[in-house]
Amino acid sequence: MRLTLWTDYSLRVLMHCAACEATGRRATIADMARMYGVSRHHLTKVVVALVHGGWLRGQRGRGGGLRLARPAADIRVGDVIRWAERDFELVACMGPGGEEACLLMPGCRLRVALNAALRAYLGVLDGYTLADLVPVGTVSAATVLPLQPVRPAGSQNPAG
């Protein structure tokens, strides 16, 4: 399973905001866009969705910026991934009406195995909070996640 770039950026934005809060600063889209090497416009879409999703709070104007809507210790990584990812259908038969399309049904147990694996995967991520990913005192907002986005092999588009 591979997380989408949208989910990757959502997690990185939340982690950056947590690191900023730990240092008493407010995060800004401009700083994160520069740090990630992505367009401000693209990152704005992610941030707006995070605000509407209840993960972030934003304040415009002088002294404004972004901050977490609740403490980092209360934000489970699994919950963020469930919110950000739109498709957990690991194979076609996991989707609506997929069983009817399967030539191996009713004896195929792949769907059962994959559902168990997905539950275990998300269960492990539920054991981590945003605070676990950005320990207070070990990272500064200036150094947290200055990474370029992970791109598939052969991809030339810096925005994914």
Side-chain angles (χ1 to χ4, degrees):
M1 178 175 176
R2 182 182 191 129
L3 297 177
T4 62
L5 195 56
W6 179 270
T7 301
D8 184 16
Y9 285 152
S10 295
L11 288 167
R12 290 173 191 248
V13 165
L14 292 172
M15 291 170 66
H16 181 81
C17 290
C20 283
E21 285 186 20
T23 62
R25 295 179 46 215
R26 292 256 174 119
T28 67
I29 293 172
D31 287 345
M32 287 185 282
R34 200 171 27 259
M35 190 181 283
Y36 297 133
V38 298
S39 79
R40 186 175 173 164
H41 178 74
H42 181 70
L43 206 54
T44 298
K45 289 180 185 180
V46 173
V47 167
V48 166
L50 287 166
V51 169
H52 287 301
W55 302 104
L56 289 178
R57 289 197 176 122
Q59 182 178 337
R60 293 180 180 255
R62 189 171 179 86
L66 300 164
R67 62 188 184 100
L68 299 175
R70 58 184 189 264
D74 294 343
I75 299 175
R76 294 186 320 171
V77 175
D79 290 339
V80 175
I81 290 174
R82 281 182 195 88
W83 171 83
E85 286 293 316
R86 301 294 182 234
D87 183 7
F88 282 107
E89 297 172 10
L90 301 179
V91 290
C93 67
M94 290 177 76
E99 284 185 22
E100 291 82 35
C102 182
L103 299 174
L104 301 174
M105 289 308 262
C108 180
R109 306 289 293 159
L110 178 62
R111 182 180 180 154
V112 172
L114 290 175
N115 273 324
L118 181 59
R119 281 192 307 275
Y121 171 76
L122 291 170
V124 168
L125 293 171
D126 284 338
Y128 290 90
T129 67
L130 204 53
D132 296 326
L133 303 182
V134 184
V136 175
T138 61
V139 222
S140 73
T143 60
V144 69
L145 307 170
L147 306 172
Q148 292 296 315
V150 177
R151 293 182 209 107
S155 173
Q156 300 299 317
N157 184 353

